[in-house]
Each structure stands twice: as C-alpha cells, then as structure tokens.
Amino acid sequence: MAERLTTQQVAEQLGVKVETVYAYASRGQLSSERAPGGKGSTFDAREVAELAARGRRAPLRPPAGEPSGAEPWPGGPVTVRTELTLIENGRLYYRGRDAVRLAAEHGFEAAVAWLWGLGTDAPVELRVPPATAEALTRAAAALPDGIRLPDRLRISATVAAALDPLRFDLREQTVLAAGAALIAGMVEALPRTAPDPGPGATLAARLWSRLATAAPAPGALACLDRALVLLLDHELAVSTVAARVAASARAHPYAVVSAGLGATDGPLHGAASPLAHRMLAEVLTDGAVPVVSDYLRTGRAIPGLGHRLYPEGDPRAVALLAAVGRLDGGAAVVRAVAEVEAAAGPAGRPALRANIDLALAALALAAGLPAEAGEVVFAVARTPGWLAHAVEEYREEPLRMRARGSYTGPRPTDPRSGPGTT
C-alpha cells in the first residue's frame, strides 16, 4: 500500500503552510483522500516528493488567489480532474456507464441528462425560446448563399450569446439551461431541407430535417440519434481542451462553445469526416485498392483510420457501423469500409481500424446525407460535452490553464532592457 502523509507532514516536507497544501490540491497538483475517521486529508507521499522535486528545479510562483506573502507555486503541468468521461481498456464510459450501451438504450436527450449528472429518467428538454429562434432564423436568412453548415453553427453561437443578457451568470443551473437552448438553437439556425418533423420532435429528428432532403428511411433516424450519443464527449480531446481553457478564463458558456467549435474546424479533428466521406465515395465507385494505393502513392494520410486511444479499434465506430449496416443500402457501405481497412493494412501487420470519422462518413453515404453532415453531427453532439467540462472548470481556480513557453528566439542584446523598459 502506498505511503500516505497527513496535511501537516506535507506542509513540513514542502516547507509551506497548510493552507498552501490545500491550494496545491485544488489545482490538481496533489490528490487527496479523506483520512480514516473522516478527519482531515491524506496525500500520496510519492506525489509530494515529485512536487518538491519540481519546486527545486523551477522558479516558484504562488497559486492564484493565495494571500500576499504565501509560499510560491511550483510550476508544472495542470492536472485536469474530471468526473465525465473515462477511456480505459479500449472502452468509452460516460460517468462510469459504457457509452456504446448508453447509445443503444437511450436517445440523445437522455444521454445529455446523464452526462450532466441528472440521470436518464428525465431527459433534457432541448428547446430554444421562440424569440431567440426567430432571431436566429433572421440571422441565418441574411447570410450569403453557399455558407457551409459548420460555419452557420459558429455564427449561431455568437448570435445566441448576444441575445442572452444572463450569459455571464456562471452558476451551474444557469449554464446548463443556456446550454440546452443553445444546442437547440444551433440546429434551428440551419436551413430546413426536409419536411418539418413537427412539435415535440427529438433533436435528432430536427437535425435530420436540416441535413437531408427527404424524410428518413426506416432506422435512419435512430442511427443518427445513436451517433449523437456516441460523440457526446471524449475526455480531453483538443476541442475540449480549448473549451476548458476558455472556461478557466471565466468566458461565458457561449464563448466556451465557440472555442470548441473553432478547434473542430481543422482536418484532424471534427472536420475529418468530410475527407473520409470523399474517400469512401471513391471506394464505392472504383474499389478500395486503387483508391488506397493512390493515397499512399501521393503521400496522403488515409482519412478515418486508426485512433491512438483505441489501438484495437474505436468502439464508437464499431457500434455506429453495425447500425449503418442495418439501413437500406448500408451493408454495401460497411463492406467498403472493411475493404479500406484491409487495403490499408501493411503486409503481415494488423490492419488499421475505422474510427468514428469514417463511421460518420459511412452513415452520411448510406442515409443520403451531404459530405459535411458528419462535421455538423460531431459539433452538435459534442456541445453538451463542452458545456459539462465548462461547469467543471468553473469550479476550479481561475486561469489555471496557463501554459508557459520555452523561448528559443534570440536573447535580448540591450543590457538596459528589463522589467519596466521598452
């Protein structure tokens, strides 16, 4: 059993006050447990030793919020503690519950409630106030033709923020209420291209009417709903880190979502699905071997394959592809995915497996949705996750997500330059 130290022992070993020990714990630099009997806290002796060693190696600064004259804070990486998502042994869990199973048993609204710590018995109502919906519709109508759907999502978040006078109220209940309206508003701001699903429709049904040109075929809507749940959160993905950094500066929830949306605009994260869609469409026409060969010959990465956190295969992709395979015409698309996996596998080595981006592309192709549908689904689905992380970050010390650079440029040559000079 690892050695545990009392708070007083930690203070003596680090040469700080007891109050500073608790400041280290609140910033995630030390993990604490309740002492036997419930009185006081204990700390891992190894963590304390590592913290002391970092303090000897680097200049020390006080934790934010420490009173003047308090002991300095050892610099080092910030530990992000989260109760939301666990990735372990090739599986994904939301608050301890298997995400694949949750997606099979519940719709998006109930899954959002679960991630937000509300249980699944009372699904979150994702509705936008009528006045906000009208303003979002007017703003969307004023945009030029040809604006991409993902760009419309980003604009809608900004418009919704401007319409909410309570956006700087960072209490959890207010944040989640605003978030529920924002999620619905983002969908409302997309042009309707299919029949209106009517009042009381699920978010998946409303999103379908913005992505498709016809009513959903049997099973298609359930497949889209399942994709939304599978994409709800993914621990500290880059967009989530961006969202938490914004929250650490006490940005309001709309700005937090905007930060997350900005990070999804790159081809290596949320925008990877359209690239996979284009590749998979070519495979359905020309076959996997010539398409994959052309990617390899030109030095391009094959989109939608592999995930560093799932070396044995992305469980989200496995679950979504199984659902896609049950759609009319879906079996051929899923076979094409398998052919890409086989063609891309080096001889004598296990083939790379499809990740969620390729599975989203398969859903779009099988359901007759546009190439950018996967990017939109990703952004809408991940928004509740960013908001949940924001709620966690609002409880932490402000501005704790402050990195330091390792300067590699030229050193100052003017001996007079220093603090207070220009």
Side-chain angles (χ1 to χ4, degrees):
M1 183 175 179
E3 181 185 0
R4 308 291 300 179
L5 301 177
T6 66
T7 306
Q8 185 60 45
Q9 288 173 324
V10 174
E12 292 173 355
Q13 185 164 329
L14 295 178
V16 299
K17 298 176 182 177
V18 168
E19 291 80 2
T20 306
V21 174
Y22 288 118
Y24 293 152
S26 71
R27 296 186 67 92
Q29 293 184 274
L30 289 175
S31 55
S32 63
E33 295 180 3
R34 297 298 295 176
K39 294 183 178 180
S41 301
T42 65
F43 299 82
D44 188 316
R46 184 168 48 188
E47 283 188 0
V48 175
E50 292 174 354
L51 183 60
R54 288 204 303 271
R56 288 190 292 270
R57 290 195 301 267
L60 305 179
R61 295 180 299 164
E66 277 290 281
S68 177
E71 286 77 8
W73 165 52
V78 173
T79 299
V80 177
R81 300 186 190 183
T82 177
E83 298 178 348
L84 300 174
T85 301
L86 171 68
I87 300 172
E88 186 173 75
N89 298 325
R91 306 298 298 177
L92 173 66
Y93 302 90
Y94 300 148
R95 290 190 182 273
R97 191 164 182 175
D98 187 278
V100 170
R101 183 172 299 178
L102 184 68
E105 296 173 351
H106 295 282
F108 185 60
E109 286 82 352
V112 171
W114 178 260
L115 188 70
W116 286 359
L118 306 174
T120 55
D121 294 335
V124 173
E125 185 174 355
L126 302 175
R127 297 288 169 185
V128 59
T132 303
E134 182 180 349
L136 288 170
T137 300
R138 289 200 308 269
L143 295 175
D145 294 337
I147 298 292
R148 298 172 61 248
L149 296 183
D151 293 329
R152 288 178 178 271
L153 293 179
R154 297 181 182 94
I155 294 169
S156 66
T158 301
V159 173
L163 296 171
D164 184 359
L166 298 179
R167 62 186 178 274
F168 295 106
D169 183 346
L170 303 186
R171 290 174 296 179
E172 179 174 344
Q173 185 175 2
T174 309
V175 169
L176 296 183
L182 173 59
I183 296 162
M186 289 166 64
V187 174
E188 188 74 22
L190 300 176
R192 185 179 290 114
T193 52
D196 187 345
T202 64
L203 187 93
R206 283 175 274 153
L207 181 58
W208 179 275
S209 72
R210 266 71 179 181
L211 296 176
T213 56
L221 197 56
C223 199
L224 175 60
D225 204 20
R226 182 169 299 199
L228 288 168
V229 177
L230 291 169
L231 286 162
L232 190 54
D233 192 42
H234 205 231
E235 199 222 38
L236 293 180
V238 291
S239 58
T240 305
V241 172
R244 288 196 78 128
V245 169
S248 78
R250 297 304 181 257
H252 57 69
Y254 301 91
V256 166
V257 171
S258 293
L261 288 170
T264 67
D265 205 27
L268 301 182
H269 190 38
S273 180
L275 301 177
H277 183 284
R278 186 178 304 122
M279 183 268 297
L280 194 57
E282 293 175 2
V283 169
L284 286 167
T285 301
D286 302 327
V289 171
V291 171
V292 170
S293 296
D294 187 59
Y295 270 81
L296 296 175
R297 180 173 62 86
T298 55
R300 292 176 291 165
I302 301 169
L305 290 184
H307 198 295
R308 67 180 69 182
L309 297 181
Y310 304 113
E312 301 302 320
D314 187 338
R316 303 169 299 170
V318 173
L320 185 54
L321 288 170
V324 170
R326 294 190 288 270
L327 301 178
D328 290 341
V333 178
V334 174
R335 281 197 302 272
V337 171
E339 291 168 3
V340 170
E341 292 176 332
R349 298 181 185 178
L352 291 172
R353 302 299 179 192
N355 61 34
I356 191 63
D357 298 313
L358 187 51
L360 282 173
L363 169 60
L365 282 164
L369 303 178
E372 61 186 351
E375 188 174 351
V376 173
V377 172
F378 184 101
V380 172
R382 192 58 58 87
T383 296
W386 296 329
L387 292 164
H389 280 274
V391 167
E392 285 194 331
E393 194 59 41
Y394 289 148
R395 299 175 187 148
E396 299 285 354
E397 190 76 18
L399 294 175
R400 72 190 187 108
M401 308 285 281
R402 172 64 164 89
R404 290 300 310 275
S406 178
Y407 181 72
T408 59
R411 299 300 305 171
T413 55
D414 184 352
R416 295 172 298 173
S417 55
T421 64
T422 58

